[in-house]
Amino acid sequence: MLGQPDMQTSGGQSEPKSRRARARMLVATLAVLRAALGDAERAYATVSDVSDPDARGPALAAVAGHLTGTPVLLDVTAEADDWTLTILCTLARALCPAPPAAHPLVGSMVHKALETDTWYRILPVLTHIAPGAADAVLGVAEQHRRGGWCGGVTRSAPSR
């Protein structure tokens, strides 16, 4: 029945979760379309207004990727929404190539995307615009992994 929060859709997702996923995809799609049409400021404003950082990160990466001409990477382990966004970015790039120089807002997009839990989605853009910077980010991530840092929680080393 409509209105029940735990109602299942045919794909197994609950109805509210499915609606949220569609809304996030529409926002990312609109932002990439605005970037493809040359309106980087509106594209940035569109993704900046997304309150969910897990949705904002990939949308920022998609827009920044288009604005920098970063090749679109296919992730064979991705969920359906990620594949949809990848296909959209590929089409946008083919139909509306990126400008010859990255837009000044790309740096802000990279910074905002790095603040999310989906920070790794911006790494292809980062390696495209500043190859040494991605190595530094990955070095920090490796240090956190070695130190037992996991999702903001520090774990103590096992006793011997």
Side-chain angles (χ1 to χ4, degrees), residues 44-135:
Y44 181 58
T46 300
V47 295
S48 292
D49 288 342
V50 175
S51 60
D52 178 7
D54 289 341
R56 189 173 53 247
L60 283 163
V63 171
H66 182 78
L67 292 174
T68 59
T70 301
V72 178
L73 303 175
L74 298 176
D75 181 359
V76 296
T77 64
E79 295 179 14
D81 286 345
D82 292 328
W83 271 99
T84 302
L85 188 56
T86 299
I87 291 166
L88 171 73
C89 291
T90 302
L91 290 172
R93 184 165 180 210
L95 297 173
C96 305
H103 193 279
L105 285 174
V106 169
S108 295
M109 291 180 200
V110 169
H111 285 254
K112 277 194 166 193
L114 286 171
E115 294 172 352
T116 69
D117 285 344
T118 54
W119 60 269
Y120 54 89
R121 301 286 295 269
I122 199 72
L123 290 180
V125 173
L126 191 57
T127 60
H128 190 77
I129 61 173
D135 290 339

Side-chain angles (χ1 to χ4, degrees), residues 130-141:
D135 290 339
V137 170
L138 292 174
V140 169

